[in-house]
Amino acid sequence: MEGASVADFSWDVRSPLDRALVAGSYGAQGDAGVALTEIRNFDLVQVMARRGKAAEMAKAAQARFGVAAPETPKAVGTADATLIWSGPDQFLVLSRGGKHTMDSLAPVFAGSTSLSDQSHARALISVSGDKARAVLAKLSSIDLHPDVFGVGAAAATSMDHTSVTLWRGADRADGQAVFNLLVFSTFAESLWHTILDSAAEYGATIGHSEELM
């Protein structure tokens, strides 16, 4: 229609757990055995070696991050990022503050890899506490015993029929283990409720969302 103006649209970036995450206590009363929270405001880029380019990718990663990219299921911390194994010849770069985005990594890995921005495609859930292993053991076949799944161990697995990238972060100040789960955003709310149901018998503390440290 002549003279009609086109409306301006703006999109607010919202967490897939906006509705589901309600801070407070859940399940059994008393000392909570599990602490749950969502980590927000991060950059996440998947780096996948092209055919025959794995060695070239590894060299570029070493130059960029100062550490070798994980070639086995583990997470490696750097000064400003975490490199998380996500499959043969591929890993995820988790960071914050725009330091390691698609744009900044593209020239670093030009010719050797394919990059995929997963920043808004995944949700990051942190599970900790003395009953964290018991909760996650209900949902996964991964052996999370500390002798087997130590700090920095990682796995590409499934929980409640949902694909997740799981790794063990640094222990809390009180010595309790911390497990991090990256899940596709479309399945995040469902998995969140499943984790809560699994934690109910132990009691859970649900924290406000936090930013990646």
Side-chain angles (χ1 to χ4, degrees):
M1 180 176 177
E2 186 176 354
S5 61
V6 178
D8 292 327
F9 291 96
S10 63
W11 301 95
D12 292 329
V13 177
R14 298 180 59 189
S15 163
L17 294 176
D18 262 353
R19 295 183 305 172
L21 195 157
V22 179
S25 299
Y26 183 87
Q29 301 301 301
D31 293 335
V34 183
L36 298 174
T37 193
E38 180 198 10
I39 309 300
R40 297 184 181 179
N41 298 328
F42 56 82
D43 296 307
L44 184 68
V45 178
Q46 184 152 29
V47 182
M48 300 163 284
R50 295 176 182 173
R51 182 175 297 179
K53 298 289 187 177
E56 188 175 334
M57 177 190 74
K59 184 177 179 180
Q62 178 76 47
R64 172 72 176 193
F65 300 107
V67 298
E71 298 179 350
T72 57
K74 63 181 180 179
V76 180
T78 76
D80 55 12
T82 302
L83 311 183
I84 309 154
W85 180 91
S86 58
D89 298 330
Q90 59 182 285
F91 62 95
L92 294 159
V93 181
L94 177 67
S95 64
R96 62 168 298 183
K99 295 180 180 179
H100 302 293
T101 62
M102 282 276 291
D103 289 343
S104 64
L105 292 179
V108 175
F109 292 102
S112 65
T113 72
S114 296
L115 303 180
S116 175
D117 190 347
Q118 298 291 309
S119 303
H120 301 298
R122 308 281 186 105
L124 177 54
I125 299 171
S126 174
V127 184
S128 61
D130 62 352
K131 296 298 183 182
R133 288 186 181 86
V135 168
L136 296 178
K138 298 180 183 181
L139 308 176
S140 172
S141 60
I142 299 294
D143 185 353
L144 300 177
H145 190 281
D147 290 343
V148 177
F149 205 85
V151 173
T157 185
S158 64
M159 291 187 175
D160 193 37
H161 309 291
T162 300
S163 296
V164 300
T165 299
L166 165 70
W167 76 98
R168 184 175 164 190
D171 290 347
R172 297 189 325 196
D174 61 4
Q176 296 297 337
V178 177
F179 298 94
N180 301 300
L181 292 80
L182 276 171
V183 56
F184 284 105
S185 296
T186 49
F187 300 105
E189 186 170 343
S190 175
L191 183 60
W192 178 265
H193 287 301
T194 299
I195 295 172
L196 274 183
D197 288 345
S198 297
E201 68 172 296
Y202 308 114
T205 299
I206 304 169
H208 292 283
S209 62
E210 302 175 1
E211 292 197 3
L212 184 70
M213 298 300 291

